[in-house]
Structure formats: C-alpha cells, structure tokens
C-alpha cells in the first residue's frame, strides 16, 4: 500500500494487494470493543458514567468505525484509492485509535518495551502488532498532513 | 409555665471549617501506551484552552510521571471535561484534590 499527502490537504491510500484491503477492513473490526466501558471504569459510581455517558460515547465511537468501513467498502467496490479529506480525518483518526486501544487492551504490546515483532510466537498477536503499527503510522500522517492546526 | 432557667443558646458560626466535601475536584489525565504525544497535546489545548507550550508541558508530565492534574474546580464542571477527554479517547478521571 502506498500512502501520501495530496495537494488538497488530504491523504491518499492506494491499496496494491488484496491483503491491503483486508488490513483496511480490519480497522473497524479491531476497534469494536468496550473502550467506553473501560473509560467509565475510571470514574466513581457517583458520576453515573455507565448510565449517562457510556451510551453517548459508544454511539460516537461506533459512528467513527462505520464511516471508515463504509469508505473502505465503497473504494474497494470501485477499485479506487481511498481519499481522507479534512472532514473525514477525525473519524479516521478516532477509528484507528480505537483499533490500537483495543489491540493494546488485548495483547499488552506496551508492556513489552522494545522488542522484535518476529519474537512474538503467537501468529495472531504478531499480525495484530503489525496492524497496530500500521494504524499508528496512518494516524501520524493524518496529524501531520490533514489535521493541521 | 415555668421551669429552670436555661443557658442562652450559643450562636453557631456561619463559617465552617473546610470539610473533606469542600475540597475541589481535579481532572487527572493518565498515561497510556497508545495515544500519540502530539495528539494528547492538541486535545489538552483544544479542551482547556491551554497554550501549546502549557499543553506540551502537561503532556510530558503525563508521559513521564504516568499522570497529571490538568484542571481543578467544581465536580460538575470537571465531569464535563472528563466527558470531553473520554470522547477524545484519552484515559482521564476525576478525583478529590489532596
């Protein structure tokens, strides 16, 4: 996959292999977890976070993932590159972040420090590590080229 | 009617000592291995209106010490800020000031 900034201030993702589309479709799947409930766990019971805030956050997080998966399916169906403009950037960043947060919650890569991904024996964990790394790279590019202040 | 004389009632002072419940609340941002440093700075600047220098300083405190108090005041107001931080997917909580 080739990724680069566009003159219009967006980001263009050009999938070159079937595997690239698979990874892009994984963003929404990886991000589908219980982030809002984990965040609520940081609050005390008095705050009524579970009842008042979690449904609102779940709706927002779900909207971000849906926007991304819809864009990927559309581009794949048309055999086109993906364009992320300023309007879509926040949803993409949020969906990628959710995916990385969920993968971290599942595999705890952050606790491993600096290590070679080849040393991860579990195939699913190793694949998740590479996806998480890729998602983080796209996030950095979004911050640098699209979500410019 | 009658009875034994009683002592004059003691007027209570209107000024109460600072009770535990009077202490302000503080919004604490916690470190996590996922959120990018640049993003955390931007979120702090956007939500609290900090300068980039101040936001960077707090972000580094979160990164190096694992947590940083970014605001203190009334509980209701603090909950609003934590709500916004959670919306930005940052790990944040509300706690009593020490």
């Amino acid at each position: 996959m080739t990724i680069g900034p566009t003159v219009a201030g967006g980001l263009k993702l050009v999938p070159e292999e079937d595997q690239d589309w698979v990874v892009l479709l994984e963003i929404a799947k990886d991000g589908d977890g219980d982030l809002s409930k984990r965040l609520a766990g940081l609050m005390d019971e008095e705050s009524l976070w579970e009842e008042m805030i979690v449904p609102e956050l779940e709706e927002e997080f779900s909207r971000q993932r849906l926007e991304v998966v819809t864009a990927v399916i559309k581009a794949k169906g048309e055999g086109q590159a993906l364009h992320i403009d300023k309007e879509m950037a926040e949803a993409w960043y949020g969906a990628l972040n959710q995916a990385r947060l969920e993968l971290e919650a599942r595999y705890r890569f952050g606790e491993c420090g600096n290590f070679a991904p080849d040393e991860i024996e579990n195939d699913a964990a190793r694949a998740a590590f590479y996806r998480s790394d890729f998602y983080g790279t796209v996030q950095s590019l979004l911050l640098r080229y699209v979500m410019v202040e | 009617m009658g009875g034994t004389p009683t002592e004059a009632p003691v007027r209570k002072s209107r000024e109460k000592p600072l009770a535990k419940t009077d202490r302000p609340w503080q919004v604490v941002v916690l470190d996590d291995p996922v959120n990018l440093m640049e993003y955390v700075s931007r979120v702090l600047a956007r939500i609290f209106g900090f300068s980039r220098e101040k936001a960077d300083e707090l972000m580094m405190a979160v990164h190096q010490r694992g947590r940083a108090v970014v605001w203190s005041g009334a509980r209701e107001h603090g909950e609003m800020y934590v709500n916004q931080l959670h919306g930005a997917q940052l790990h944040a909580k509300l706690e009593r000031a020490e």
Side-chain angles (χ1 to χ4, degrees), chain A residues 44 97 100 143 147 149, chain B residues 34-35 42 52 75 89:
Chain A
D44 60 25
N97 215 46
R100 291 180 60 232
L143 286 176
M147 300 165 81
E149 292 180 316
Chain B
V34 167
N35 277 295
R42 289 191 193 193
R52 270 315 292 268
R75 179 177 176 113
Q89 301 173 21

Side-chain angles (χ1 to χ4, degrees), chain A residues 39 42-44 46-47 49 53 56-57 61 64 93-94 97-98 100-101 104 139-140 143 147 149, chain B residues 25 30 32-36 38-39 42 52 75 79 82-83 86-94:
Chain A
L39 293 172
L42 298 170
M43 299 296 285
D44 60 25
E46 203 182 322
S47 64
W49 222 247
I53 307 299
E56 180 187 299
L57 289 180
F61 295 165
Q64 292 175 342
Y93 191 95
N97 215 46
Q98 286 178 63
R100 291 180 60 232
L101 285 164
E104 178 59 34
Q139 284 186 298
S140 295
L143 286 176
M147 300 165 81
E149 292 180 316
Chain B
W25 290 83
L30 304 165
D32 72 78
V34 167
N35 277 295
L36 303 177
E38 166 70 14
Y39 176 70
R42 289 191 193 193
R52 270 315 292 268
R75 179 177 176 113
E79 284 184 340
V82 175
N83 187 2
H86 284 184
Q89 301 173 21
L90 298 194
H91 292 70
K93 65 179 183 178
L94 201 58

Side-chain angles (χ1 to χ4, degrees), chain A residues 27 29-35 38 95-115 120 124-125 127-133 135-136 139, chain B residues 31-36 89 91:
Chain A
I27 297 169
K29 289 183 200 165
D30 283 335
D32 190 4
D34 57 359
L35 172 61
R38 288 203 305 278
L96 290 162
N97 215 46
Q98 286 178 63
R100 291 180 60 232
L101 285 164
E102 291 302 335
L103 290 174
E104 178 59 34
R106 212 171 303 155
Y107 296 106
R108 306 282 177 200
F109 297 126
E111 291 174 6
C112 303
N114 294 324
F115 66 97
I120 305 173
F129 176 85
Y130 283 121
R131 286 201 306 282
S132 182
D133 192 49
Y135 298 159
Q139 284 186 298
Chain B
D31 190 30
D32 72 78
V34 167
N35 277 295
L36 303 177
Q89 301 173 21
H91 292 70

Side-chain angles (χ1 to χ4, degrees), chain A residues 10-147:
Chain A
L11 210 59
K12 184 179 181 183
L13 287 73
V14 187
E16 290 153 352
E17 300 170 20
D18 287 346
Q19 186 61 28
D20 294 339
W21 290 109
V22 171
V23 171
L24 291 170
L25 288 166
E26 286 288 323
I27 297 169
K29 289 183 200 165
D30 283 335
D32 190 4
D34 57 359
L35 172 61
S36 50
K37 287 192 176 67
R38 288 203 305 278
L39 293 172
L42 298 170
M43 299 296 285
D44 60 25
E45 288 178 4
E46 203 182 322
S47 64
L48 300 176
W49 222 247
E50 282 273 358
E51 296 86 343
M52 306 291 287
I53 307 299
V54 166
E56 180 187 299
L57 289 180
E58 278 180 350
E59 191 179 332
E60 172 63 11
F61 295 165
S62 176
R63 183 193 62 77
Q64 292 175 342
R65 297 196 306 274
L66 183 63
E67 273 195 44
V68 167
V69 76
T70 302
V72 174
I73 289 170
K74 184 172 183 286
K76 184 171 187 276
E78 295 170 352
Q80 300 287 322
L82 270 159
H83 290 269
I84 307 174
D85 59 20
K86 283 186 188 298
E87 280 184 14
M88 293 264 320
E90 202 172 313
W92 271 85
Y93 191 95
L96 290 162
N97 215 46
Q98 286 178 63
R100 291 180 60 232
L101 285 164
E102 291 302 335
L103 290 174
E104 178 59 34
R106 212 171 303 155
Y107 296 106
R108 306 282 177 200
F109 297 126
E111 291 174 6
C112 303
N114 294 324
F115 66 97
D118 290 344
E119 291 173 8
I120 305 173
E121 289 181 8
N122 182 311
D123 286 347
R126 190 166 55 251
F129 176 85
Y130 283 121
R131 286 201 306 282
S132 182
D133 192 49
F134 169 71
Y135 298 159
T137 301
V138 178
Q139 284 186 298
S140 295
L141 292 170
L142 283 170
L143 286 176
R144 182 170 178 188
Y145 295 109
V146 190
M147 300 165 81

Side-chain angles (χ1 to χ4, degrees), chain B residues 51-91:
Chain B
S51 64
R52 270 315 292 268
E53 289 75 20
K54 176 72 177 171
D56 284 349
E57 188 184 307
L58 287 166
M59 176 275 293
M60 285 308 293
V62 172
H63 181 62
Q64 291 170 343
R65 290 179 225 142
R67 53 175 274 149
V69 174
V70 296
W71 182 89
S72 65
R75 179 177 176 113
E76 210 170 81
H77 205 163
E79 284 184 340
M80 184 196 74
Y81 282 136
V82 175
N83 187 2
Q84 289 178 273
L85 290 165
H86 284 184
Q89 301 173 21
L90 298 194
H91 292 70

